[in-house]
């Protein structure tokens, strides 16, 4: 189904053409029409399936259908998202959709001074894309009123719940008009997401694009078993052998990210790192340099898992597996996007094998193992198998002196205990 069949305004269609869009993705086919009619939606769709256009285009179209003057310190639409990186990315993407219109779009997030944001809000804006914390700050300082909000979107709602933003979200939505249209988008589903949907949506329509909590079919999953201490070495070898032009690497901790960065720097491999200890400006530069191909490797912790939109990214590497299997889905959502093929490669130590089992259970498939010569590691199954083959006591095997002494001591205790019981009965 083509975008041209939607009958959007000429300005929006021109923007879609300039973005190179032609055919709609499944989530766009199912969500755009009911959203354009003002229906509340609960949408379960994986990262990289085109969901930004699925909620942004209907909102922009409705605002163009019913144009209104901007009111100082007011907005017509609010899109809430969990991270600064994602807020910035959404603002860039949606501004591209609105580039031939007069609609104004502002991103609000922490890590930068509030003065510039305050000035834009004072003039009045059509759409705000914000992290909950920063929008609450502006609200408390009376830089913005949400009383005239007609459209609200919770993007990455499951992630906002994980990060503890639920109270902030509910506080913000309580400030908006009761007859607003609300759409909730989530990459995964859970009882908490369902409970939230029933609290904030009215007579909503539920849309499930893919099997819930699964990954895109275009992604090939591969595991390399390796000792934890040799992961840096293996990654460098794969980087050379596979000739990866650009690769995004996820670590579970900042220390792991810094350790990998140090190894790549020593090998003179152009790389950048993006984690919570880095200043916002440094993180933005690293992401920009990676997008412009100045860096071959970008190392990121979970903070960037949903805030990156890099086209034609062929490979994502899990240097360490995430604690939550759902985060594996979020991480590898950076590749295999919009129907294109991609690879999700995980370097897995023996300590992480139980996490692999949980991930396989979640995605409903066994992940292929590749054993790299020179990096062999004994897995849990072989360890248990070797233990089971050890000779047992009492089957023709001579026990050690210490074992015999222990057995005699136990028999003596049991005999004394039995004698004591008989004496008490008498």
């Amino acid at each position: 189904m083509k975008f041209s069949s939607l009958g959007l305004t000429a300005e929006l269609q021109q923007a879609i053409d300039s973005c190179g869009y032609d055919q709609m993705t499944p989530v766009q086919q199912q969500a755009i029409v009911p959203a354009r009619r003002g229906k509340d939606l609960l949408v379960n769709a994986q990262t990289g399936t085109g969901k930004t256009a699925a909620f942004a285009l209907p909102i922009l179209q409705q605002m163009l259908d019913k144009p209104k003057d901007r009111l100082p310190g007011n907005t017509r639409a609010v899109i809430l998202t969990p991270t600064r990186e994602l807020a910035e990315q959404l603002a860039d993407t949606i501004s591209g959709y609105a580039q031939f219109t007069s609609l104004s779009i502002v991103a609000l997030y922490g890590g930068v001074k509030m003065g510039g944001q305050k000035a834009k809000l004072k003039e009045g804006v059509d759409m705000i894309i914000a992290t909950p914390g920063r929008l609450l700050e502006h609200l408390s300082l009376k830089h913005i009123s949400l009383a005239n909000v007609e459209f609200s979107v919770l993007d990455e709602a499951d992630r906002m719940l994980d990060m503890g933003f639920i109270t902030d979200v509910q506080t913000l939505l309580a400030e908006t008009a009761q007859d607003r249209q609300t759409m909730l988008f989530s990459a995964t589903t859970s009882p908490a997401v369902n409970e939230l949907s029933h609290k904030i949506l009215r007579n909503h329509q539920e849309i499930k694009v893919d099997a819930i909590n699964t990954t895109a079919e275009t992604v090939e999953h591969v595991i390399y078993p390796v000792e934890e201490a040799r992961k840096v070495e293996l990654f460098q070898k794969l980087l050379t052998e596979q000739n990866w032009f650009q690769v995004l690497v996820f670590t579970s901790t900042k220390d792991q990210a810094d350790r990998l960065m140090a190894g790549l720097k020593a090998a003179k491999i152009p790389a950048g790192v993006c984690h919570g200890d880095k200043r916002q400006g440094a993180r933005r530069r690293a992401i920009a340099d990676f997008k412009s191909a100045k860096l071959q490797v970008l190392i990121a912790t979970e903070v960037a898992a949903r805030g990156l939109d890099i086209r034609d990214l062929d490979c994502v590497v899990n240097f360490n597996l995430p604690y939550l299997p759902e985060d594996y889905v979020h991480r590898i959502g950076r590749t295999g996007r919009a129907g294109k093929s991609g690879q999700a490669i995980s370097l897995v130590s023996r300590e992480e094998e139980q996490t692999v089992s949980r991930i396989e259970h979640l995605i409903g498939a066994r992940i292929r193992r590749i054993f790299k010569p020179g990096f062999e590691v004994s897995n849990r199954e072989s360890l248990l198998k070797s233990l089971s083959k050890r000779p047992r006591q009492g089957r023709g095997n001579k026990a050690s002196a210490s074992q015999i002494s222990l057995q005699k001591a136990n028999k003596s205790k049991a005999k004394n205990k039995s004698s004591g019981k008989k004496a008490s009965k008498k």
Side-chain angles (χ1 to χ4, degrees):
M1 185 175 178
K2 294 189 174 184
F3 279 99
S4 57
S5 67
L6 292 173
L8 300 173
T9 62
E11 295 89 348
L12 288 182
Q13 187 60 53
Q14 183 182 358
I16 290 169
D17 294 339
S18 70
C19 291
Y21 298 167
D22 181 29
Q23 297 285 339
M24 285 186 279
T25 64
V27 68
Q28 292 162 356
Q29 290 183 36
Q30 295 185 49
I32 287 179
V33 172
R36 186 175 173 181
R37 291 172 179 163
K39 189 76 175 175
D40 280 13
L41 300 180
L42 168 60
V43 182
N44 289 123
Q46 303 305 315
T47 301
T49 54
K51 55 190 176 64
T52 302
F55 63 75
L57 290 176
I59 293 175
L60 296 174
Q61 181 63 58
Q62 289 184 77
M63 288 197 287
L64 292 172
D65 287 340
K66 298 178 180 178
K68 293 182 179 179
D69 293 332
R70 294 191 196 110
L71 299 175
N74 276 262
T75 186
R76 297 181 67 184
V78 170
I79 298 173
L80 297 176
T81 191
T83 67
R84 292 173 288 188
E85 289 81 9
L86 190 52
E88 198 171 26
Q89 180 61 50
L90 286 176
D92 289 342
T93 301
I94 298 174
S95 293
Y97 301 153
Q99 62 182 299
F100 301 111
T101 73
S102 60
L103 297 174
S104 63
I105 297 164
V106 171
L108 306 177
Y109 48 81
V112 297
K113 294 181 179 179
M114 298 183 70
Q117 297 176 356
K118 175 184 175 183
K120 293 177 181 178
L121 295 177
K122 188 176 180 180
E123 298 173 3
V125 295
D126 294 302
M127 178 183 290
I128 287 173
I129 300 163
T131 54
R134 178 46 64 100
L135 184 54
L136 272 176
E137 286 184 81
H138 283 293
L139 189 66
S140 65
L141 294 171
K142 302 190 183 305
H143 296 163
I144 185 69
S145 168
L146 303 180
N148 293 307
V149 168
E150 304 167 45
F151 313 97
S152 61
V153 176
L154 271 65
D155 190 29
E156 307 285 8
D158 50 345
R159 191 62 172 171
M160 282 196 275
L161 286 167
D162 291 342
M163 296 173 71
F165 288 144
I166 182 60
T167 302
D168 291 349
V169 168
Q170 291 178 317
T171 299
L172 290 168
L173 291 181
E175 296 292 322
T176 63
Q178 290 187 350
D179 59 350
R180 69 179 188 275
Q181 178 187 8
T182 304
M183 291 178 274
L184 189 156
F185 282 74
S186 177
T188 60
T189 189
S190 68
V193 170
N194 291 330
E195 181 182 353
L196 178 62
S197 69
H198 288 292
K199 286 181 178 179
I200 67 174
L201 303 179
R202 297 174 305 146
N203 300 319
H204 68 275
Q205 178 177 333
E206 190 167 347
I207 295 173
K208 297 179 181 179
V209 178
D210 298 313
I212 298 172
N213 291 341
T214 61
T215 56
E217 294 180 358
T218 53
V219 176
E220 177 191 8
H221 304 262
V222 173
I223 282 176
Y224 285 90
V226 61
E227 297 287 355
E228 183 68 33
R230 300 194 67 195
K231 284 187 177 182
V232 175
E233 183 184 352
L234 176 57
F235 176 76
Q236 292 178 358
K237 189 174 183 64
L238 293 173
L239 191 65
T240 302
E241 290 182 350
Q242 302 292 334
N243 196 28
W244 289 324
F245 174 67
Q246 278 190 307
V247 57
L248 176 61
V249 187
F250 283 109
T251 65
S252 296
T253 68
K254 291 173 285 189
D255 288 341
Q256 291 161 349
D258 291 336
R259 180 165 67 91
L260 177 57
M261 182 64 186
L264 297 179
K265 187 177 180 180
K268 296 183 179 180
I269 296 170
V273 66
C274 183
H275 61 56
D277 281 354
K278 298 292 181 181
R279 291 185 178 181
Q280 179 69 4
R283 288 159 58 180
R284 291 174 65 182
R285 280 194 303 274
I287 294 171
D289 287 346
F290 185 67
K291 286 184 175 183
S292 63
K294 292 180 182 178
L295 300 178
Q296 186 179 5
V297 179
L298 179 63
I299 307 164
T301 53
E302 218 64 56
V303 70
R306 301 201 185 191
L308 296 174
D309 184 14
I310 302 165
R311 294 191 179 188
D312 302 323
L313 189 61
D314 296 326
C315 180
V316 168
V317 172
N318 289 297
F319 188 78
N320 303 92
L321 291 177
Y323 178 73
L324 296 174
E326 292 82 2
D327 286 335
Y328 175 85
V329 175
H330 303 156
R331 286 182 179 186
I332 69 169
R334 303 302 99 199
T335 188
R337 307 189 73 166
K340 295 183 180 180
S341 61
Q343 261 197 330
I345 295 173
S346 300
L347 310 184
V348 178
S349 66
R350 193 171 66 194
E351 292 78 12
E352 295 175 294
E353 288 176 10
Q354 289 186 339
T355 304
V356 172
S357 299
R358 293 196 296 269
I359 290 171
E360 289 177 328
H361 178 74
L362 180 72
I363 67 177
R366 179 171 171 79
I367 302 175
R368 182 166 65 98
R369 273 73 166 169
I370 298 179
F371 296 91
K372 193 71 176 171
F375 291 89
E376 291 83 359
V377 57
S378 59
N379 58 40
R380 191 177 301 275
E381 288 79 7
S382 64
L383 179 65
L384 294 174
K385 191 174 182 180
S386 65
L387 288 173
S388 67
K389 289 182 179 179
R390 288 184 179 179
R392 296 181 181 179
Q393 300 298 333
R395 293 190 179 181
N397 299 302
K398 191 175 287 186
S400 65
S402 60
Q403 289 173 325
I404 293 173
S405 297
L406 182 61
Q407 289 171 1
K408 286 182 176 180
N410 289 336
K411 286 180 180 179
S412 177
K413 287 180 182 178
K415 188 175 181 180
N416 292 336
K417 189 174 182 180
S418 176
S419 298
K421 286 182 179 179
K422 289 178 180 179
S424 63
K425 286 180 180 179
K426 291 179 181 178

